[in-house]
Amino acid sequence: MPDSNTDRTLKAALEATGMETEFIKLSNHTIKPCLACLKCVDNNVCVIGDDGNEIAEKIKNADALIVAGYTPYSSIDSNTKSMLERLYCLRHKDGYMRGKPGGIIITSAIPCIPEAPPVAETAVGSVAAYMQEEGMEVVGDVKILGNVPCVSCGYGDDCELSGIKMIYGPDATVDSVGINSFEDQQAPMDGAKELGKKIASCLSSK
């Protein structure tokens, strides 16, 4: 979705760095998942040759990385997962991501409450595992309450499999749930700015 909660949170974090940054919308690109063919070992370049190659090169040359994704079916979205897999080509021999500061932003329709599955935390863990395995420094994460697609599909109040009722209870409706916006969530807003400042601090101290 253009200008999503995830997008706006990432842009707020990037702006807070006070540094030169680039926002990349993965859904605007063709990025196939890693083939595990190991043909990137000698030159650190993926043989697939789609948009993932250009993005990987930009990430290779960047001083830091903030990964922002969301959680369809309670796990990290496929575009983000595919791009992380494609960064495997940067690992061999030189470890191009090693030592870089990294941040994580995750939007989930499942609230971060004790009685709900830890969907956002699971997604954060997936991205953090990538960063840790590449020797990056994970400086922080931000979690945003997003929107189940059922609030805008047109059948949210009537569908037997409505995510609205699954998450918020049998009496929940599109109107009672409403639309969650990043700008209405103080903790994520503050967290995004703090994440950006932490990234900048890490870079300035190097």
Side-chain angles (χ1 to χ4, degrees):
M1 176 182 294
D3 199 34
S4 65
N5 279 316
T6 309
D7 292 352
R8 301 197 306 279
T9 308
L10 175 55
K11 290 175 181 178
L14 293 175
E15 182 179 359
T17 66
M19 297 180 166
E20 179 182 351
T21 62
E22 181 174 359
F23 171 87
I24 299 175
K25 180 81 167 176
L26 294 182
S27 60
N28 292 336
H29 298 273
T30 299
I31 306 167
K32 296 181 180 178
C34 174
L35 299 175
C37 66
L38 294 179
K39 294 179 181 178
C40 57
V41 170
D42 290 331
N43 61 4
N44 298 99
V45 177
C46 180
V47 298
I48 293 177
D50 59 12
D51 295 342
N53 289 61
E54 179 183 353
I55 296 172
E57 186 66 16
K58 289 183 177 184
I59 292 174
K60 171 187 171 183
N61 293 325
D63 295 320
L65 174 66
I66 301 178
V67 175
Y70 64 104
T71 58
Y73 285 104
S74 300
S75 61
I76 195 71
D77 64 277
S78 59
N79 285 321
T80 301
K81 180 64 164 61
S82 292
M83 192 63 241
L84 291 178
E85 288 183 9
R86 292 289 295 281
L87 295 180
Y88 180 60
C89 67
L90 303 181
R91 176 183 179 87
H92 314 297
K93 298 179 292 185
D94 295 300
Y96 286 107
M97 300 304 293
R98 184 170 48 203
K100 294 184 180 184
I104 305 166
I105 292 171
I106 296 296
T107 303
S108 177
I110 307 295
C112 295
I113 54 178
E115 56 267 31
V119 173
E121 286 291 353
T122 299
V124 167
S126 295
V127 180
Y130 156 75
M131 292 182 173
Q132 291 163 353
E133 289 169 19
E134 296 306 311
M136 297 178 65
E137 179 184 357
V138 181
V139 302
D141 65 80
V142 180
K143 294 180 282 291
I144 311 104
L145 180 60
N147 298 289
V148 62
C150 307
V151 298
S152 56
C153 76
Y155 300 95
D157 288 338
D158 304 316
C159 177
E160 292 183 2
L161 296 179
S162 173
I164 294 172
K165 299 183 185 303
M166 179 187 71
I167 297 171
Y168 294 100
D171 297 326
T173 64
V174 171
D175 288 339
S176 69
V177 170
I179 301 294
N180 296 307
S181 174
F182 161 64
E183 290 79 9
D184 295 330
Q185 301 176 56
Q186 192 63 48
M189 287 184 65
D190 293 341
K193 295 176 183 177
E194 183 64 23
L195 179 59
K197 291 176 182 178
K198 286 182 178 179
I199 293 283
S201 177
C202 286
L203 293 177
S204 63
S205 64
K206 290 185 180 294

